[in-house]
Amino acid sequence: MTLNLCVLTPNRIVWDSEVKEIILSTNSGQIRILPNHVPAAIAIDIGILRIRLNGQWLRMALMGGFARIGNNKIIILVNDAEKSSDIDPQEAQKMLELAEANVRKVEGKRQTIEANLALRQARTRIEASNAIS
Amino acid sequence: MAMAALRREGRRFAPLLSPRPIAGVRSSLVSEEDAPFGTRSISTQVVRNRMKSVRNIQKITKAMKMVAASKLRAIQVRAENSRGLWQPFTALLGDTPSVDVKKNVIVTISSDKGLCGGINSTSVKISKALHKLSSGPEKETKYVVLGEKAKAQLVRDSKKDILLTISELQKNPLNYTQVSVLADDILKNVEFDALRIIFNKFHSVVSFLPTMSTILSPEIVEREAEAGGKLGELDSYEIEGGETKAEILQNLAEFQFSCVLFNAVLENATSEQGARMSAMDSSSRNAGEMLDRLTLTYNRTRQASITTELIEIISGASALEG
């Protein structure tokens, strides 16, 4: 029994194939989805999506969105998604440093929130690119 | 000009002299339309000038058509990619245009530039019809307008109903972040029970159909879900990942709105380019036809003037010989 997983962003389809199981991070913790899951609608936070197929775990960085689980069919809609193989570690590290510096120096509620979000996104990308799983 | 000189002479000599119209005055003020076949009343210069301007217009419209065709190709790809985004929402929440709500907000999407055929007028026509349909005793309908063209048309008679207008959407290439900021703005400043987005959906290069997408506010979604029907399936879904179900539903509705708006804006932009392409194409063809007709007139005029000269020369020569 396999799950049919589709990861969509506004610009393109990032992933569309059969997988064995996935681990999502939501606003209230991490959830593991196995085949024959009950139908559910899940809000996804900025975090890592782990996909298992052929005994291997793959990571993807997701920037917040929704997942809908039908009968063995998962559709994930996110603002942005990057596969770990597409992320360049040096570039991700640089973005992280930039984001950290930004967080320290901004003021104003809205900018702080945006800077924090950028920081979390940068951290997620680094985590995804360090995939040893 | 000869007539004016005659009038001046008339005034100098006697007021009794009435200026009689002289037939066949060579005047450059006579327009082409008054020239039946064979009179000497038009000059080739006029026709040549007209041909030059028509030819220029034809070149411009041909260039505009090619520009629109190339832009169309680029944006069509993006519009098709963004279509996959709202389908899961429709599957989950349903697109129910017939739900009866008190506060409707109509989001009309149009273009900023003109010369794109009739798409903006059809969007505005449908918006107005929808406004009429959904206005009633307790209900109210307001507009949010995207794009200059619809704004110009709607401001004329529904100025008090327009909540928000946004223009120059396409100054920077369209991307999701920009549209989601826009969606956020709209959601913050507008209170609604249902949002109806009106745009032109791109089916093919020659067919753009005005389409309406409906987004219901979270409270209405809850109400309908309890009432059963298509949205009743929503209840059978477990909702996870947040404190309360209402919070998730609200997030979902907002996300749905920004995705659907993104798709609608892209589709409208694609339709705009397609409509511009076909409008410019038909105007180039018209210019070509006008040019053909003008060329015929030009040749006739030219031949007529040559014939006239010949006649004058020959009759002058034969008069000399006696």
Side-chain angles (χ1 to χ4, degrees):
Chain A
M1 290 260 34
T2 52
L3 295 163
N4 193 335
L5 174 69
C6 253
V7 179
L8 302 169
T9 68
N11 294 327
R12 62 197 178 101
I13 303 179
V14 176
W15 185 280
D16 184 7
S17 81
E18 307 261 333
V19 300
K20 293 271 172 40
E21 56 185 274
I22 65 174
I23 301 185
L24 293 167
S25 10
T26 75
N27 287 334
S28 53
Q30 303 211 337
I31 298 189
R32 178 184 191 146
I33 315 276
L34 293 167
N36 290 329
H37 197 278
V38 63
I42 305 180
I44 302 183
D45 203 8
I46 300 179
I48 308 263
L49 166 73
R50 267 172 280 209
I51 308 174
R52 179 160 90 99
L53 42 75
N54 304 333
Q56 292 245 352
W57 284 99
L58 274 155
R59 288 180 183 216
M60 212 185 285
L62 299 177
M63 306 297 170
F66 271 96
R68 171 176 169 245
I69 308 186
N71 54 348
N72 282 336
K73 189 166 165 58
I74 308 180
I75 303 183
I76 300 187
L77 295 167
V78 283
N79 292 324
D80 200 6
E82 288 176 74
K83 286 197 244 194
S84 60
S85 46
D86 291 339
I87 304 180
D88 176 22
Q90 269 98 350
E91 192 229 341
Q93 185 69 24
K94 251 186 292 169
M95 299 234 10
L96 178 66
E97 281 155 22
L98 269 168
E100 281 175 352
N102 216 18
V103 158
R104 257 168 269 149
K105 75 172 161 94
V106 292
E107 41 196 287
K109 189 154 180 241
R110 182 181 174 138
Q111 262 108 336
T112 328
I113 299 182
E114 286 178 359
N116 278 328
L117 246 114
L119 181 62
R120 287 172 69 198
Q121 285 176 351
R123 285 224 182 93
T124 312
R125 294 179 78 221
I126 295 262
E127 243 190 273
S129 68
N130 293 340
I132 331 169
S133 125
Chain B
M1 285 190 350
M3 292 269 303
L6 192 65
R7 246 179 278 137
R8 277 200 300 271
E9 311 257 341
R11 264 200 291 278
R12 244 189 314 172
F13 286 138
L16 301 168
L17 193 72
S18 61
R20 266 196 310 268
I22 297 184
V25 165
R26 264 191 193 283
S27 159
S28 56
L29 303 168
V30 173
S31 73
E32 179 198 0
E33 273 68 46
D34 300 358
F37 305 96
T39 59
R40 309 181 268 159
S41 59
I42 199 165
S43 81
T44 57
Q45 189 63 31
V46 168
V47 185
R48 245 212 318 255
N49 283 342
R50 217 146 165 208
M51 279 169 67
K52 194 164 79 163
S53 67
V54 170
R55 207 175 293 130
N56 283 341
I57 290 187
Q58 190 186 33
K59 283 191 201 159
I60 292 176
T61 51
K62 268 208 190 123
M64 284 183 77
K65 172 187 164 189
M66 287 196 278
V67 166
S70 71
K71 284 192 184 169
L72 174 72
R73 244 171 299 150
I75 205 170
Q76 186 180 353
V77 163
R78 302 187 62 202
E80 281 172 9
N81 282 345
S82 79
R83 271 188 202 155
L85 206 59
W86 54 261
Q87 274 152 4
F89 285 114
T90 322
L92 182 66
L93 295 171
D95 190 7
T96 42
S98 50
V99 168
D100 203 19
V101 291
K102 296 253 166 36
K103 285 209 182 117
N104 272 309
V105 174
I106 302 181
V107 182
T108 313
I109 306 189
S110 68
S111 65
D112 284 331
K113 305 204 191 123
L115 291 182
C116 49
I119 55 173
N120 292 324
S121 311
T122 46
S123 287
V124 169
K125 224 174 11 180
I126 295 213
S127 308
K128 287 191 183 159
L130 197 59
H131 182 96
K132 252 212 184 117
L133 267 179
S134 56
S135 295
E138 297 178 343
K139 309 197 243 180
E140 61 169 288
T141 320
K142 298 269 177 204
Y143 289 108
V144 170
V145 183
L146 270 70
E148 285 288 336
K149 293 280 151 190
K151 177 169 116 175
Q153 293 190 26
L154 282 173
V155 142
R156 240 182 279 150
D157 45 357
S158 322
K159 190 162 181 185
K160 58 182 177 47
D161 277 336
I162 299 185
L163 285 175
L164 195 59
T165 62
I166 298 139
S167 5
E168 303 214 343
L169 265 178
Q170 301 208 32
K171 206 148 140 191
N172 313 317
L174 288 170
N175 62 346
Y176 182 64
T177 334
Q178 176 194 30
V179 176
S180 62
V181 165
L182 191 64
D184 199 30
D185 260 343
I186 296 180
L187 284 167
K188 260 200 306 242
N189 297 332
V190 169
E191 50 169 275
F192 61 94
D193 284 336
L195 276 169
R196 311 211 183 247
I197 307 181
I198 299 195
F199 60 102
N200 291 83
K201 192 164 163 128
F202 181 80
H203 288 280
S204 82
V205 180
V206 294
S207 111
F208 336 99
L209 298 175
T211 324
M212 178 177 85
S213 296
T214 313
I215 312 242
L216 303 168
S217 78
E219 297 93 19
I220 304 285
V221 171
E222 283 256 27
R223 193 184 79 188
E224 291 295 316
E226 278 149 36
K230 184 107 191 275
L231 287 172
E233 293 181 14
L234 186 60
D235 256 349
S236 70
Y237 277 70
E238 263 193 39
I239 314 275
E240 306 198 30
E243 328 287 86
T244 65
K245 183 167 170 186
E247 181 192 329
I248 307 259
L249 272 185
Q250 173 147 23
N251 275 342
L252 196 58
E254 291 179 5
F255 194 40
Q256 180 190 18
F257 178 47
S258 76
C259 287
V260 174
L261 192 66
F262 183 58
N263 180 60
V265 169
L266 275 179
E267 298 256 358
N268 203 56
T270 321
S271 308
E272 176 198 338
Q273 300 296 348
R276 186 168 295 135
M277 204 173 99
S278 71
M280 291 296 109
D281 182 40
S282 55
S283 95
S284 311
R285 217 172 305 131
N286 277 345
E289 282 174 21
M290 272 183 83
L291 210 52
D292 285 341
R293 278 200 307 264
L294 282 172
T295 312
L296 286 177
T297 318
Y298 177 66
N299 284 333
R300 264 203 309 268
T301 322
R302 190 176 49 92
Q303 287 163 356
S305 75
I306 291 176
T307 313
T308 325
E309 266 192 65
L310 275 175
I311 290 180
E312 284 173 2
I313 292 174
I314 292 177
S315 52
S318 69
L320 277 178
E321 285 171 21

